[in-house]
Amino acid sequence: MSPAVDATEVRRRTHELLAAHPPATTGRTDFLKARFDAGLAWVHYPDGLGGLDAPRSLQQVVDAELAAADAPDNDPRRIGIGLGMAAPTILGFGTDEQKRRFLRPLWVGEEVWCQLFSEPGAGSDLAALATRAVQGDDGDWTVDGQKVWTSSAHVARWAILIARTDPDLPKHRGISYFICDMTDPGVDVRPLRQITGEAEFNEVFLSGVRIPDSHRLGPVGEGWKVAQTTLMNERVSIGGSRIPREGGMIGPVSTTWRERPGLRTHDTHQRLLTLWVEAEVARLTGERLRQQLVAGQPGPEGSGMKLAFARLNQEISGLEVELLGDEGLLYGDWTMVRPELVDFTGRDAGYRYLRSKGNSIEGGTSEVLLNIVAERVLGLPAEPRNDKDVAWKDLSR
């Protein structure tokens, strides 16, 4: 980090950006590109890649100045997978050419990303994945397989993909990590309708998809190590996002409680108080976790945040439906749509109740995350794993 970049310097650069590109008269995309080039996209990233090699904490200074000037943001909910998962992985393992090619359009929002990780037979046990990537004589790769629960695949330009490149090795060691062009021949995206009626998820079939070796992230066979960076950042982005007090799921039910006193009971009062306090504790814990990120990459603590996020969302949305009584049983619209962003708290109480059921599955199931917290945070003995040293091709499936 550069010692010369402090809050005063960051504020000065932000004012220069606003003076040269007034938000009121500058197109949204042009402003975002100028912000990236000024190093004010994510200040802790390297100089020339949207950052200033500055402390991560200084991003708040930039964001506050730009919000006060009513400057446009990059619609982070629409490009959350790119921002929260693809970008830190590319930064950590990408070549200089890959960083220059992908990070700017990713942050600006010109290119949406998705995540091709989970498979029908490898959800909770992701390392058991069966999608195969075979390297040809020209050095490039041919990929065949199926991925599932892929958010935003229907609008994505690029995907982060893990595939098996050596079935003779144990499951964690024969995986490689790639960047997949979602517009290439052989990529077939099909909607998966959810309990909400929407299809924000998809299943993706890969049939003879060609991926150049220049789109590989990290060494061949070390994709699991690369994927850990993605997964740890994913759990922080889901469970530890910055929200104001009463942001997220606790907000709507608190508003209903204040505005409709006729719905109140002693029991719901006690439950709401408990959940409000727990939501606030989780919010502040997330803030502390983000401050710890200043010192390095996210660790297993993000799994604990994601666990709390899933449990609280489900309990809070359940309370909201119960508080509303008969009204809580109504559902506004079950029309099949394919949204461009993931919205955990939108629409009505019925939507929030149904959508929260997926929170304990996506981004790692709660059962898997409990194991991670037990073993890697609390230091408890690891579960016996009989397949640890067995070649993937010899595993029963």
Side-chain angles (χ1 to χ4, degrees):
M1 296 180 182
S2 173
V5 180
D6 56 13
T8 300
E9 174 64 12
V10 165
R11 193 172 285 111
R12 182 189 68 78
R13 289 173 183 248
T14 305
H15 292 167
E16 284 185 353
L17 169 69
L18 292 168
H21 306 274
T25 57
T26 305
R28 178 177 179 276
T29 300
D30 289 338
F31 181 87
L32 293 173
K33 288 179 178 178
R35 177 179 169 181
F36 185 95
D37 294 341
L40 301 173
W42 32 42
V43 296
H44 59 289
Y45 271 43
D47 188 21
L49 296 175
L52 299 170
D53 284 309
R56 184 189 293 257
S57 58
L58 293 180
Q59 190 65 52
Q60 308 176 58
V61 178
V62 176
D63 294 344
E65 294 288 340
L66 293 179
D70 199 25
D73 66 16
N74 56 356
D75 196 3
R77 289 196 306 164
R78 185 178 71 91
I79 58 174
I81 293 174
L83 293 174
M85 295 171 236
T89 308
I90 293 170
L91 181 65
F93 294 91
T95 63
D96 290 342
E97 181 180 354
Q98 289 169 340
K99 295 172 187 176
R100 288 192 298 269
R101 165 60 185 88
F102 293 114
L103 289 179
R104 188 174 188 253
L106 179 158
W107 187 89
V108 170
E110 293 180 304
E111 295 177 342
V112 177
W113 287 68
C114 67
Q115 179 187 22
L116 297 177
F117 275 33
S118 295
E119 299 184 5
S124 298
D125 186 11
L126 179 59
L129 62 89
T131 293
R132 288 279 281 117
V134 178
Q135 192 169 29
D137 294 337
D138 59 358
D140 293 342
W141 300 83
T142 301
V143 180
D144 292 276
Q146 180 186 358
K147 299 291 183 176
V148 75
W149 315 126
T150 308
S151 300
S152 302
H154 54 292
V155 294
R157 172 67 172 82
W158 297 100
I160 43 179
L161 162 73
I162 50 177
R164 188 158 307 281
T165 49
D166 192 343
D168 295 321
L169 292 176
K171 59 184 182 181
H172 290 88
R173 289 165 44 200
I175 295 171
S176 298
Y177 197 117
F178 302 94
I179 295 172
C180 176
D181 188 339
M182 293 296 288
T183 67
D184 274 352
V187 178
D188 181 16
V189 179
R190 304 179 190 177
L192 284 175
R193 195 175 192 189
Q194 301 154 232
I195 194 174
T196 61
E198 297 180 337
E200 74 188 50
F201 296 145
N202 303 269
E203 54 184 344
V204 179
F205 294 86
L206 306 164
S207 303
V209 177
R210 299 278 294 177
I211 297 181
D213 192 54
S214 59
H215 283 184
R216 172 172 45 82
L217 281 178
V220 174
E222 295 190 18
W224 187 250
K225 176 183 177 181
V226 182
Q228 291 309 297
T229 294
T230 305
L231 295 172
M232 293 303 177
N233 279 280
E234 176 183 23
R235 288 154 192 166
V236 171
S237 67
I238 293 176
S241 58
R242 176 175 282 112
I243 58 174
R245 176 174 288 186
E246 287 197 4
M249 201 72 79
I250 198 66
V253 68
S254 298
T255 299
T256 299
W257 179 267
R258 294 189 181 98
E259 295 179 351
R260 302 179 63 178
L263 299 175
R264 301 173 186 172
T265 67
H266 176 74
D267 176 62
T268 53
H269 186 201
Q270 296 304 310
R271 289 164 60 194
L272 178 59
L273 284 174
T274 298
L275 290 171
W276 194 97
V277 170
E278 290 186 10
E280 181 65 4
V281 168
R283 185 184 74 85
L284 295 175
T285 302
E287 183 63 37
R288 183 175 65 180
L289 178 61
R290 284 188 297 276
Q291 292 174 5
Q292 290 174 344
L293 293 182
V294 174
Q297 291 294 320
E301 295 83 2
S303 297
M305 285 303 304
K306 200 271 178 178
L307 272 169
F309 169 85
R311 180 185 64 82
L312 282 171
N313 276 1
Q314 291 172 358
E315 292 188 12
I316 292 169
S317 62
L319 173 62
E320 182 181 22
V321 168
E322 185 174 338
L323 178 65
L324 290 170
D326 292 346
E327 184 183 333
L329 299 177
L330 301 176
Y331 198 76
D333 187 5
W334 207 66
T335 304
M336 162 65 168
V337 295
R338 304 181 78 181
E340 292 193 3
L341 54 83
V342 176
D343 187 356
F344 293 139
T345 60
R347 291 171 49 177
D348 52 27
Y351 175 88
R352 286 188 283 275
Y353 177 76
L354 294 179
R355 182 60 185 83
S356 69
K357 300 306 178 189
N359 294 164
S360 52
I361 302 173
E362 57 202 339
T365 66
S366 290
E367 292 77 11
V368 168
L369 298 186
L370 284 169
N371 274 352
I372 292 174
V373 170
E375 296 175 13
R376 300 181 59 189
V377 178
L378 302 179
L380 298 178
E383 285 191 350
R385 292 177 172 86
N386 297 327
D387 60 359
K388 187 174 182 180
D389 297 316
V390 179
W392 177 84
K393 65 180 178 59
D394 296 328
L395 296 176
S396 58
R397 284 182 291 279

